[in-house]
Amino acid sequence: MKSYLEETELLNYSHPLIRQVIHSRQWNHMHRKEQILGIYNYVRDEILFGYNRADNIPASVVLQNGYGQCNTKGVLFMALLRAVGVPCRVHGFAIDKKLQKGAMKGWYYQLSPREIVHSWVEVLYEGKWLNIEGFILDIPYLTKLQQKFRQCTGSFCGYGVATENFQNPDIYWNGNDTYVQKEGIVRDFGIYNSPDVFFFTHQQGLSPLRKTIYSRVVRHLMNRNVNRIRQG
């Protein structure tokens, strides 16, 4: 279990900001199920869905940003879990870029790679590894999206969602797996003890120039689209 509790460069749970939020929420003094649920709901709803400058940023930076996507929210989720003694690991994938259509638009959707690096967190709970992915979209954003496409009662792919049950996805944790982008997966990269190794091994398919354009321009356009939906 030691490797599933280690602090790493990305999972920097000794950082004062990480310690502060753990202390303020009193997660260290809760039973295991309450710990996981409290951290899960915090990362899902109080860290808004949005696009950071890169995947491989430390948990403390994600916390400072106050927003994140699958990979960066996952880093923060893992850091908080390990800080209170909950073993966890990362499972990596590639997803079809169609999942991002709507958040991405126009020229920058056309220029994005066909496949996007994706991950979810596996958490050890009561002797079983659970797949936890449902923390990616905050409830206000998802609710507005469901209202926008209220006629869709089955599967949906786009705007950061890929699920078979759009109006009632598996995003509430009660000792179960949770998913919100699973149906967009096209390749499985396997399990890694830390996100540091995963993101070093599997990087987004962008040239240095496109990485710069994404960081300085594209992600801000995507965040603007996401915020417009969240605000109705």
Side-chain angles (χ1 to χ4, degrees):
M1 287 298 101
K2 182 179 178 182
S3 62
Y4 302 130
L5 292 169
E6 282 182 341
E7 184 169 19
T8 69
E9 186 176 341
L10 298 187
L11 305 178
N12 61 337
Y13 57 71
S14 293
H15 192 281
L17 289 176
I18 302 288
R19 304 310 305 177
Q20 181 180 359
V21 71
I22 290 171
H23 176 75
S24 68
R25 305 296 169 126
Q26 296 293 298
W27 289 324
N28 264 328
H29 305 289
M30 296 178 181
H31 295 297
R32 182 55 45 93
K33 187 174 183 179
E34 293 173 320
Q35 285 179 325
I36 297 172
L37 180 61
I39 294 171
Y40 178 84
N41 288 343
Y42 174 81
V43 172
R44 185 190 63 198
D45 295 330
E46 297 191 49
I47 306 299
L48 301 180
F49 174 53
Y51 296 88
N52 314 89
R53 58 178 171 80
D55 290 328
N56 59 340
I57 60 175
S60 59
V61 175
V62 183
L63 187 58
Q64 284 178 305
N65 287 169
Y67 60 85
Q69 31 83 346
C70 56
N71 297 317
T72 52
K73 275 195 168 192
V75 167
L76 178 58
F77 185 47
M78 289 183 69
L80 293 170
L81 289 174
R82 290 192 181 188
V84 298
V86 179
C88 56
R89 62 194 187 188
V90 62
H91 197 146
F93 305 92
I95 54 174
D96 193 305
K97 76 171 184 178
K98 286 186 290 186
L99 185 152
Q100 302 288 3
K101 193 170 186 179
M104 281 187 179
K105 295 181 178 182
W107 63 268
Y108 53 98
Y109 178 78
Q110 298 301 324
L111 290 177
S112 66
R114 182 180 300 176
E115 295 182 0
I116 299 170
V117 175
H118 171 64
S119 62
W120 67 48
V121 177
E122 296 190 358
V123 179
L124 187 63
Y125 177 67
E126 295 188 338
K128 297 190 301 182
W129 286 102
L130 301 178
N131 302 327
I132 308 296
E133 188 199 55
F135 55 74
I136 300 170
L137 306 181
D138 58 276
I139 295 296
Y141 172 76
L142 179 59
T143 300
K144 291 295 186 180
L145 200 61
Q146 290 167 328
Q147 292 171 357
K148 180 179 175 69
F149 298 100
R150 59 176 56 88
Q151 75 282 2
C152 179
T153 57
S155 62
F156 185 91
C157 183
Y159 293 86
V161 179
T163 178
E164 292 181 338
N165 188 350
F166 179 52
Q167 296 299 334
N168 190 28
D170 297 321
I171 59 168
Y172 297 99
W173 189 79
N174 186 28
N176 52 290
D177 298 332
T178 70
Y179 303 106
V180 74
Q181 295 185 346
K182 178 169 71 77
E183 301 308 316
I185 291 172
V186 294
R187 281 198 291 156
D188 189 332
F189 294 138
I191 296 166
Y192 293 78
N193 291 351
S194 76
D196 308 54
V197 176
F198 172 60
F199 295 131
F200 179 80
T201 307
H202 298 281
Q203 301 179 24
Q204 302 290 0
L206 297 170
S207 67
L209 176 60
R210 290 189 180 186
K211 283 182 181 179
T212 300
I213 294 172
Y214 170 80
S215 178
R216 295 184 180 179
V217 180
V218 170
R219 71 184 184 95
H220 298 296
L221 296 173
M222 295 171 71
N223 286 337
R224 187 171 65 185
N225 291 338
V226 167
N227 286 332
R228 282 175 176 168
I229 292 169
R230 186 181 292 111
Q231 294 165 12

